[in-house]
Amino acid sequence: ISSGSSSTSFYYKDSNVGTPTITCAESPSMGWTDATQTVTVQTKTTQFTVSASTPQVAGSAFALTITAKDADGNTDTSFSATVNLTVNYVSPASGSGTLSVTSVSSWSNGVATISNETFSDCGSITITATHADYSTKTGTSSSIVFVPYDFTVVASSLDTSASGSNYARHTVSKSFTLTVTARNASAVTCPNYKGTANLTV
């Protein structure tokens, strides 16, 4: 602090993430109480990129890659914190599908690869990665389309007597109902499927 002044400004820089305490003391000592200030040093990561190929099959494993980026767009090779993953619905605009892996904490040079991610429903979604401690540090994937693993086809109740039959028996040229259900790889119905199913005999 210059002679005749009561304060000064300075800058502090730290290469490590943490909460160090800065202490200011007079020199030479005059018995004054030291001033202390604890500061929070955050990771230099400001955002994430999230990528996966498209289309994918509902309920089947796919690879999801998350990369930590600094303010200049370079990969932050020292990043090691936990990142949470959430779903954003694109089409349809809402749903109840879930991701099997919702957080990642294993990183290699700033890149985390989830090889066994799954999404339980169909439709188009994006996936957002958010720093577990700093909600402003995020990144969102491009749209990923999920298609059914398979379909089931079930005929309506019998309209003729067919005692002992294990298949639906109907009268020729008389209308009956087929129920077609889109399913994921775990044989669970995909309520968000809005596509086409072609029927062949």
Side-chain angles (χ1 to χ4, degrees):
I1 300 176
S2 302
S3 176
S5 299
S6 60
S7 64
T8 190
S9 297
F10 67 94
Y11 293 91
Y12 174 78
K13 182 178 181 179
D14 198 321
S15 60
N16 297 313
V17 173
T19 53
T21 298
I22 299 172
T23 300
C24 294
E26 76 280 13
S27 180
S29 176
M30 298 177 62
W32 297 352
T33 301
D34 293 346
T36 60
Q37 174 68 57
T38 300
V39 297
T40 299
V41 181
Q42 300 181 7
T43 174
K44 61 185 177 181
T45 294
T46 61
Q47 61 181 339
F48 303 97
T49 60
V50 183
S51 60
S53 60
T54 186
Q56 298 289 343
V57 175
S60 295
F62 66 96
L64 184 70
T65 302
I66 304 140
T67 305
K69 297 284 188 177
D70 63 21
D72 297 320
N74 300 313
T75 300
D76 179 3
T77 58
S78 64
F79 187 79
S80 60
T82 298
V83 170
N84 296 322
L85 304 174
T86 53
V87 171
N88 314 290
Y89 290 92
V90 178
S91 179
S94 63
S96 58
T98 58
L99 295 171
S100 60
V101 180
T102 57
S103 67
V104 59
S105 56
S106 297
W107 300 82
S108 177
N109 295 319
V111 178
T113 300
I114 303 171
S115 60
N116 60 338
E117 183 67 278
T118 65
F119 180 64
S120 61
D121 205 349
C122 292
S124 180
I125 65 167
T126 61
I127 298 175
T128 295
T130 304
H131 196 298
D133 297 319
Y134 306 105
S135 60
T136 59
K137 301 178 185 295
T138 66
T140 301
S141 71
S142 299
S143 291
I144 308 168
V145 176
F146 289 85
V147 298
Y149 175 79
D150 65 7
F151 297 92
T152 59
V153 183
V154 179
S156 57
S157 300
L158 304 180
D159 64 9
T160 60
S161 176
S163 178
S165 174
N166 60 359
Y167 57 90
R169 182 174 294 177
H170 293 271
T171 303
V172 62
S173 297
K174 184 177 179 180
S175 296
F176 65 98
T177 300
L178 283 179
T179 301
V180 183
T181 303
R183 307 191 304 176
N184 66 19
S186 298
V188 176
T189 299
C190 294
N192 267 11
Y193 184 65
K194 305 298 181 183
T196 300
N198 295 321
L199 303 176
T200 55
V201 174

